[in-house]
Amino acid sequence: GDFNQKIDYVFKVVLIGDSAVGKTQLLARFARNEFSVDSKATIGVEFQTKTLIIDQKTVKAQIWDTAGQERYRAVTSAYYRGAVGAMLVYDMTKRQSFDHMARWLEELRSHADKNIVIMLIGNKCDLGSLRAVPTEDAQEFAQRENLFFMETSALESTNVETAFLTILTEIYRII
Ligand code: GDP
Ligand code: MG
């Protein structure tokens, strides 16, 4: 939650990726430490904020979640405007959601500032036995495209905080 304190920085970070990969639940986990199994498709553009301290500065993270507009090119440019960070999320049990990352990245780069910090996220790592995307494939893609990379579980809370803190700290480092 936010505290009653002056804000030094507001960082807008956008979540993108196919429908049902877990974007909304990653945000719920990070912002409110919640998770819901029957997560509904998000309606309307929405963001949530979380205030944290980085290097003794008060940083308000404003994290935007897609509005059920995950079809290719359906996300509007207003969504990307002013973003200093982006999380490209796929479901590690759905190969197609990983194969679509190149398109999402292209769309992101066509709209966003060239200095935007981007993190690739392989979500649902709690479902290890159903894995359809080897870690090495994602690492290779991330390295080639100059992205941070992490595997997460919104369900089990694995690496969620670390992923957000990593991207926010990097944004802070380069501003
Ligand atoms: P979005 O469309 O990308 O926002 O995806 P949601 O956050 O709505 O999640 C889609 C479905 O995946 C929901 O049934 C969630 O409960 C489930 N889900 C999200 N994250 C995880 C996770 O880390 N592990 C598992 N097993 N299920 C997840
Ligand atoms: Mg959603």
Side-chain angles (χ1 to χ4, degrees):
D2 296 350
F3 15 99
N4 197 6
Q5 196 174 346
K6 102 177 183 340
I7 305 293
D8 294 303
Y9 299 100
V10 178
F11 292 159
K12 174 177 175 178
V13 175
V14 294
L15 294 172
I16 50 178
D18 286 3
S19 184
V21 297
K23 299 180 298 297
T24 298
Q25 292 312 310
L26 284 166
L27 180 51
R29 176 64 77 194
F30 174 64
R32 306 189 308 269
N33 198 22
E34 287 174 9
F35 181 88
S36 84
V37 176
D38 57 346
S39 175
K40 300 194 174 51
T42 320
I43 312 289
V45 172
E46 282 177 51
F47 64 80
Q48 294 197 47
T49 62
K50 181 164 174 149
T51 301
L52 43 133
I53 306 291
I54 298 175
D55 193 23
Q56 297 173 38
K57 296 283 190 281
T58 306
V59 172
K60 182 184 269 194
Q62 187 187 79
I63 317 285
W64 291 58
D65 189 10
T66 48
Q69 295 174 323
E70 288 101 333
R71 283 167 300 110
Y72 187 47
R73 297 203 185 284
V75 176
T76 64
S77 54
Y79 186 75
Y80 297 104
R81 194 168 301 135
V84 290
M87 286 178 149
L88 278 175
V89 186
Y90 67 92
D91 174 346
M92 68 162 65
T93 73
K94 296 265 168 1
R95 180 74 203 191
Q96 185 174 252
S97 72
F98 175 71
D99 293 338
H100 288 165
M101 288 288 95
R103 293 179 180 181
W104 281 110
L105 184 60
E106 184 195 329
E107 179 162 313
L108 172 67
R109 289 204 165 125
S110 76
H111 286 93
D113 189 276
K114 71 169 172 26
N115 293 323
I116 192 168
V117 179
I118 308 171
M119 177 174 274
L120 178 69
I121 298 274
N123 189 42
K124 308 195 186 182
C125 71
D126 56 283
L127 300 174
S129 59
L130 301 172
R131 178 190 284 274
V133 181
T135 303
E136 301 71 46
D137 290 16
Q139 264 167 347
E140 195 181 294
F141 177 73
Q143 202 156 21
R144 192 168 60 235
E145 297 291 347
N146 207 11
L147 318 173
F148 288 86
F149 167 60
M150 230 165 255
E151 292 184 338
T152 61
S153 167
L155 174 65
E156 293 186 345
S157 210
T158 310
N159 272 345
V160 178
E161 179 124 34
T162 306
F164 279 99
L165 283 179
T166 300
I167 194 169
L168 292 165
T169 302
E170 179 63 13
I171 293 163
Y172 175 79
R173 205 181 63 76
I174 68 167
I175 53 159

